[in-house]
Amino acid sequence: MRTQPRYGSHRRTARLVLPLLAAVSLATALSVDTARAATLSIGIQGEPASLDTARIGGTTWENDVLGDLFEGLVTLDPAGEYIPGAASRWDISDDGTVYTFKLRDDANWSDGEPVVAKDFVLAFQRLFDPANGAVYASLFYPIRGAEAHTKGEQDAPELGVEAVDAKTLKITLNQPTPYFPTLLAHIAASPVPSHLVERFGNDWTQMDHIATNGAFTPTSWTSHDHIAARKNPEFHDADDVALDGVDYYPVEDRSAGLQRFRAGGLDIVRDFSPDRYQWLQENLPDAVHLAPQLANYYFALNQRDGHPTADKRVREALNLAIRRDVIAAKIMGGVVSPASGFVPGGVSHYDAQTMPGLDRPMDERIAEARSLLADAGYGPDHPLELTLRYSTTEANKRIAVALAEMWQPLGVETQLINAEGAVHYAELANGNFDVGRGSWVADFDDASNFLGILQSDSPKNYGGYRSQAFDDLMAKASRETDEDARQQLLQQAERQALSDYAVAPIYVDVSRNLVNPKLDGWEDNALNRHLSRWLSLPQGN
């Protein structure tokens, strides 16, 4: 057996810090001064679909809320490094397939009940229950039986998550997966209070029932207004949590978010309109945080029957006509980089790939796009008509309008439809679009995290992309233990998807945050994850 190793030092954001070092350094840096306790107000990008980790919608802002309320076996420090969470330590079998976790003796739910191994077993059972349709289930397919259970297969093997005793959890994988511990910091790997789920079923998250094991626990949820949470006195590190509580306000209007921030109504705004970057640099320089991030911005292209984008020629034409450099420079203010592939540059042990044709001069690309649409049967007497859906922000609107204008010379007629975030992503999941705005922020630093959402059975595969060749390459990569050989398989898989024009990549994103300069403990990181347990504000701020 091997005790938890230091995660590969070559990975920029995925180093596992030893518990003793983490405890000493963080306790020293973040010891609580009671005079600085306060309630933090965060402007998040939308409203969570649920506080039930098996029923979340897969949006980035759910991390802001559920990351504070729940703690998995592994968690994140302020710099985005992986450290022990609800588990105090773990051992790994010599063949790398069995992880044995020891839960903290002082890990409790907010109602005082102890966090036990059964809580994690039930959480994973619910995650892989087909009835829940959990969007992140596939992320944990390395666990033995996870995929078969999620797909409802009758001969599914026993799920590889087992309670050895109250404070010992054993997880068995299909094959060695070196990055597996980093997955366990994802909110979907959080435990559930089995004593409440057994009593209340799916209603366990109602405010008069819920208990959480993170640094904070919710007290109220006013839909489309805010979620209020208070400090959880039962949290194992409660003595070093400086804040009294956190209020989460859905702010989809970026201009309104900026106004509320300037007026002191919000301490953090988790995004701002990129066209305000220069103004912010001049007027609020100490509040602006712009940092590299493993994230992409793209448009899903619906490949289901009955949609014009089911024709590869149409998808290629649309991609060729997009002026990504113009979007990055003019609409996004030069703070992002144009994307020619789906996996962003900077992902560890991976070389960025390029969609065929995007390296050609623009006039050649437009000519080819016209030819492709003509071959597909579209022209002046039969124009291509598209519906383009986007979530409501000013930047998303400007990009959607720009795409419609870029496609207009091809004779494309584009109907723009917008909705708030939760509704938008529900429509994408239901396939009610031809072209739909999407984005992906890395859950962990690996190309498979991006490419995985294009697999045929992924709930995040909004466009319904289906390629046996792509799926086979991804399956081979998941079984490959040689890192270099695995990289080649993943790169080949991306080339397959790009040659199929599976999506329309637009740009590689950066994190954009407004942070009260008086706030202590904030550190920019490539995952753009920021747990409130590490933050503090002056009293009465």
Side-chain angles (χ1 to χ4, degrees):
M1 301 288 285
R2 301 173 312 197
T3 301
Q4 60 188 68
R6 180 180 295 273
Y7 205 76
S9 59
H10 67 282
R11 300 176 76 93
R12 180 177 48 202
T13 63
R15 182 166 52 82
L16 286 170
V17 181
L18 294 176
L20 180 59
L21 293 177
V24 171
S25 62
L26 291 173
T28 300
L30 298 171
S31 58
V32 173
D33 177 352
T34 56
R36 293 177 59 80
T39 296
L40 188 72
S41 296
I42 305 178
I44 59 178
Q45 297 179 47
E47 189 165 66
S50 174
L51 297 184
D52 186 333
T53 52
R55 293 168 171 259
I56 52 180
T59 55
T60 56
W61 52 85
E62 287 169 328
N63 286 312
D64 295 320
V65 180
L66 278 78
D68 282 347
L69 304 183
F70 297 95
E71 181 179 66
L73 297 163
V74 178
T75 190
L76 295 166
D77 74 3
E81 304 280 2
Y82 295 93
I83 61 174
S88 59
R89 64 179 180 86
W90 55 92
D91 298 320
I92 310 172
S93 64
D94 291 337
D95 67 357
T97 63
V98 180
Y99 287 72
T100 304
F101 296 87
K102 288 294 184 181
L103 303 186
R104 297 179 184 274
D105 291 333
D106 57 353
N108 293 322
W109 293 99
S110 54
D111 61 3
E113 289 293 317
V115 174
V116 294
K118 179 182 178 181
D119 297 330
F120 284 95
V121 173
L122 181 58
F124 280 110
Q125 289 174 340
R126 298 177 78 253
L127 185 69
F128 304 132
D129 184 344
N132 285 327
V135 297
Y136 285 117
S138 62
L139 196 65
F140 300 92
Y141 279 179
I143 296 175
R144 185 189 68 197
E147 183 173 6
H149 281 265
T150 302
K151 294 179 178 179
E153 296 177 6
Q154 295 299 314
D155 57 349
E158 184 179 1
L159 187 63
V161 185
E162 171 188 354
V164 178
D165 57 44
K167 288 291 185 175
T168 307
L169 179 76
K170 184 169 74 173
I171 299 181
T172 303
L173 310 183
N174 296 309
Q175 63 272 325
T177 307
Y179 58 83
F180 180 69
T182 71
L183 299 181
L184 299 177
H186 194 282
I187 56 174
S190 302
V192 296
S194 56
H195 62 290
L196 295 181
V197 176
E198 291 169 356
R199 182 178 178 186
F200 299 110
N202 290 332
D203 292 334
W204 72 271
T205 56
Q206 291 184 6
M207 287 299 111
D208 53 350
H209 303 325
I210 193 168
T212 64
N213 76 318
F216 300 90
T217 193
T219 56
S220 65
W221 183 349
T222 304
S223 183
H224 300 290
D225 184 60
H226 79 288
I227 298 172
R230 61 173 174 81
K231 178 179 175 178
N232 174 13
E234 296 289 340
F235 182 58
H236 63 83
D237 197 33
D239 288 346
D240 285 325
V241 174
L243 297 171
D244 289 328
V246 186
D247 291 334
Y248 309 89
Y249 295 90
V251 179
E252 296 200 19
D253 185 331
R254 302 308 191 257
S255 296
L258 173 56
Q259 291 175 3
R260 291 174 66 176
F261 181 82
R262 294 182 67 195
L266 295 173
D267 299 301
I268 297 171
V269 177
R270 294 290 271 131
D271 193 19
F272 58 81
S273 183
D275 61 359
R276 302 304 303 274
Y277 177 62
Q278 293 302 324
W279 183 91
L280 288 167
Q281 280 287 79
E282 294 170 2
N283 293 274
L284 296 172
D286 293 337
V288 178
H289 287 253
L290 193 74
Q293 184 180 19
L294 299 181
N296 64 16
Y297 184 108
Y298 69 96
F299 281 83
L301 303 174
N302 199 332
Q303 288 149 67
R304 300 172 182 84
D305 292 342
H307 294 270
T309 41
D311 191 322
K312 177 183 174 181
R313 293 168 295 184
V314 171
R315 300 196 302 273
E316 181 177 359
L318 296 177
N319 266 292
L320 291 176
I322 298 173
R323 300 175 184 266
R324 293 164 175 82
D325 55 341
V326 172
I327 292 174
K330 302 299 183 182
I331 297 178
M332 299 302 292
V335 301
V336 301
S337 302
S340 58
F342 193 65
V343 180
V347 170
S348 294
H349 214 89
Y350 193 83
D351 295 329
Q353 305 297 301
T354 299
M355 180 176 281
L358 298 191
D359 55 353
R360 297 163 59 185
M362 200 66 211
D363 56 347
E364 292 183 17
R365 287 164 54 178
I366 293 298
E368 178 65 15
R370 289 194 176 110
S371 177
L372 286 164
L373 290 184
D375 288 345
Y378 297 102
D381 297 330
H382 182 216
L384 172 60
E385 298 179 353
L386 298 174
T387 57
L388 185 154
R389 287 189 174 273
Y390 65 93
S391 48
T392 306
T393 72
E394 185 59 33
N396 288 343
K397 177 180 179 180
R398 294 179 66 194
I399 291 172
V401 170
L403 290 185
E405 292 176 348
M406 292 173 185
W407 292 333
Q408 197 170 36
L410 306 180
V412 179
E413 298 177 0
T414 308
Q415 178 187 8
L416 305 182
I417 304 173
N418 70 293
E420 58 93 11
V423 174
H424 168 72
Y425 282 105
E427 293 297 330
L428 292 194
N430 292 330
N432 297 328
F433 69 98
D434 296 321
V435 180
R437 180 262 170 184
S439 64
W440 189 256
V441 179
D443 298 303
F444 58 99
D445 184 5
D446 192 84
S448 65
N449 191 221
F450 289 91
L451 297 175
I453 69 174
L454 297 179
Q455 289 180 271
S456 298
D457 57 357
S458 170
K460 305 296 287 186
N461 182 7
Y462 296 128
Y465 173 57
R466 297 287 186 273
S467 167
Q468 191 62 52
F470 177 84
D471 288 345
D472 288 346
L473 287 165
M474 292 296 293
K476 289 179 181 178
S478 71
R479 297 189 295 269
E480 181 56 63
T481 57
D482 180 83
E483 196 171 37
D484 292 335
R486 180 174 178 273
Q487 176 185 351
Q488 294 304 315
L489 287 168
L490 290 172
Q491 290 176 179
Q492 187 178 349
E494 183 178 8
R495 288 195 296 273
Q496 178 66 54
L498 294 178
S499 66
D500 290 334
Y501 299 92
V503 295
I506 304 298
Y507 62 76
V508 178
D509 209 353
V510 296
S511 62
R512 295 179 295 273
N513 291 287
L514 294 176
V515 180
N516 184 339
K518 296 180 181 179
L519 184 144
D520 289 334
W522 177 280
E523 292 189 37
D524 293 323
N525 61 72
L527 293 177
N528 196 22
R529 295 277 301 278
H530 306 277
L531 301 183
S532 298
R533 65 178 285 194
W534 308 124
L535 306 178
S536 62
L537 275 170
Q539 182 75 35
N541 181 74

